[in-house]
Amino acid sequence: MIFYFTGTGNSRHVAERIGSLIGDGNIKNIADYYNDVVDGKGIVIDVDSAEPLGFVCPVHSWGLAKSMRRFVKKAKINYGGKKIFAILVCGDNCGKAREQLQEALWKHSRLRCDFVCSVQMPNTYIVMKGFGTDPDELVAQKLAAAEKQLPEIADAIINGKPYDHYVVGTKPFLKGRIVYPLFMAFTLSDKKFYADDNCISCGQCVNNCPEQNIRLNAQKRPEWLGHCVKCLSCIHRCPKRAIQYGDITQKMGRYYYK
Ligand SMILES: Cc1cc2nc3c(=O)[nH]c(=O)nc-3n(C[C@H](O)[C@H](O)[C@H](O)COP(=O)(O)O)c2cc1C
């Protein structure tokens, strides 16, 4: 069983590709457990010991994406098998995301990963000046490199081999212990999202939001409900490029895994 979270499709692709390479069709989107984990009651999930157990999610602010962090804290996963792996999907590097995932899995489900590795995929962080999507050439390079890397990861899972490719980046302590908590505390607000005049009220943003954080208002325009995790699914996947974030994203690129 492979649990994944995704904003813009990169992690879903990685989960599905790994699943097909290792012969595991049991791929679970943790957004489907949203109502179970968000109300505080939690959930117990039994995983067949005969199959591998995996976790795939994006890196956010050099740490674990909030939805996956909440999932591993609220879902008690019963697994007596031997193969546990995690893949952190980043644009560049991962800082302390690996340690955060390992700590949470151990603390809440007594699960220890055989390995936690990283895979670079196209960048999606566009809601702060100085950041943005990758140029087309780099997108193609990253996707091609990932397609080569994923069979290596699958081989390690199948044959129980170590796999230690993990890109930490610079100053992991500072980023993981200071920048990440500040990011989680102060930058997840969705107050700056709005739909401009290109909005056709199709409701795709509502359907695509993994946190059930968007609804259409009386004028059939999206409104954000205040519990965003900044996965940026809404802004990248809007078919009319109508969703904006303050005055930052009008000229920024958009990306999602197609
Ligand atoms: C809020 C946010 C924060 C991010 N922070 C990082 C980061 O710290 N390091 C990094 O390499 N990529 C970062 N990224 C890029 C994503 O990790 C990367 O694009 C990933 O492939 C997205 O996966 P997804 O399509 O499954 O959502 C960030 C993206 C978002 C939306």
Side-chain angles (χ1 to χ4, degrees):
M1 190 178 289
I2 303 176
F3 295 102
Y4 77 86
F5 174 76
T6 193
T8 47
N10 286 339
S11 306
R12 183 185 57 230
H13 168 68
V14 168
E16 288 177 349
R17 184 90 182 97
I18 288 291
S20 91
L21 288 164
I22 66 173
D24 182 353
N26 215 351
I27 314 293
K28 301 281 187 195
N29 183 352
I30 65 166
D32 294 340
Y33 298 94
Y34 178 79
N35 292 323
D36 297 310
V37 297
V38 87
D39 64 5
K41 273 194 271 159
I43 183 174
V44 177
I45 303 173
D46 295 316
V47 180
D48 185 346
S49 306
E51 57 179 318
L53 169 61
F55 300 85
V56 182
C57 77
V59 171
H60 283 175
S61 194
W62 300 284
L64 207 50
K66 182 175 175 178
S67 307
M68 182 57 89
R69 199 178 51 156
R70 186 185 57 217
F71 176 75
V72 294
K73 284 184 177 173
K74 291 283 173 64
K76 169 83 179 74
I77 300 168
N78 291 323
Y79 176 64
K82 294 257 179 311
K83 291 180 177 172
I84 309 180
F85 65 95
I87 304 173
L88 295 165
V89 182
C90 62
D92 299 295
N93 51 62
C94 306
K96 288 277 177 193
R98 173 170 59 181
E99 285 79 0
Q100 290 173 0
L101 181 60
Q102 285 168 324
E103 277 170 27
L105 280 172
W106 178 248
K107 193 166 167 198
H108 301 283
S109 288
R110 286 287 180 262
L111 296 174
R112 228 189 263 290
C113 293
D114 298 321
F115 64 80
V116 182
C117 66
S118 64
V119 172
Q120 243 186 14
M121 291 285 277
N123 256 311
T124 56
Y125 192 58
I126 60 168
V127 292
M128 194 181 278
K129 289 190 172 137
F131 292 83
T133 49
D134 297 321
D136 290 349
E137 202 177 303
L138 186 54
V139 168
Q141 269 174 29
K142 284 183 176 179
L143 293 176
E147 288 318 298
K148 279 196 185 151
Q149 190 189 354
L150 296 180
E152 295 169 13
I153 298 174
D155 181 50
I157 297 165
I158 292 167
N159 296 305
K161 293 197 238 164
Y163 186 82
D164 62 4
H165 178 88
Y166 179 82
V167 183
V168 183
T170 56
K171 300 189 173 57
F173 186 84
L174 177 76
K175 288 170 175 168
R177 295 288 154 86
I178 296 170
V179 179
Y180 178 79
L182 290 173
F183 175 86
M184 287 295 154
F186 298 112
T187 71
L188 294 186
S189 164
D190 53 21
K191 289 206 169 86
K192 288 187 182 169
F193 282 111
Y194 66 95
D196 66 23
D197 291 342
N198 294 315
C199 176
I200 54 166
S201 306
C202 66
Q204 285 205 33
C205 49
V206 177
N207 296 333
N208 289 331
C209 176
E211 292 280 314
Q212 304 178 17
N213 186 45
I214 307 176
R215 70 179 173 208
L216 296 186
N217 64 17
Q219 291 75 44
K220 296 262 183 288
R221 286 299 178 90
E223 68 181 17
W224 284 259
L225 304 175
H227 51 94
C228 179
V229 295
K230 283 274 165 72
C231 72
L232 306 187
S233 170
C234 55
I235 195 164
H236 284 287
R237 299 183 67 186
C238 172
K240 292 292 172 189
R241 229 182 171 280
I243 296 179
Q244 306 295 347
Y245 188 81
D247 63 356
I248 296 173
T249 52
Q250 284 74 6
K251 292 194 175 150
M252 293 265 196
R254 301 290 191 272
Y255 166 88
Y256 68 94
Y257 189 89
K258 294 175 191 70

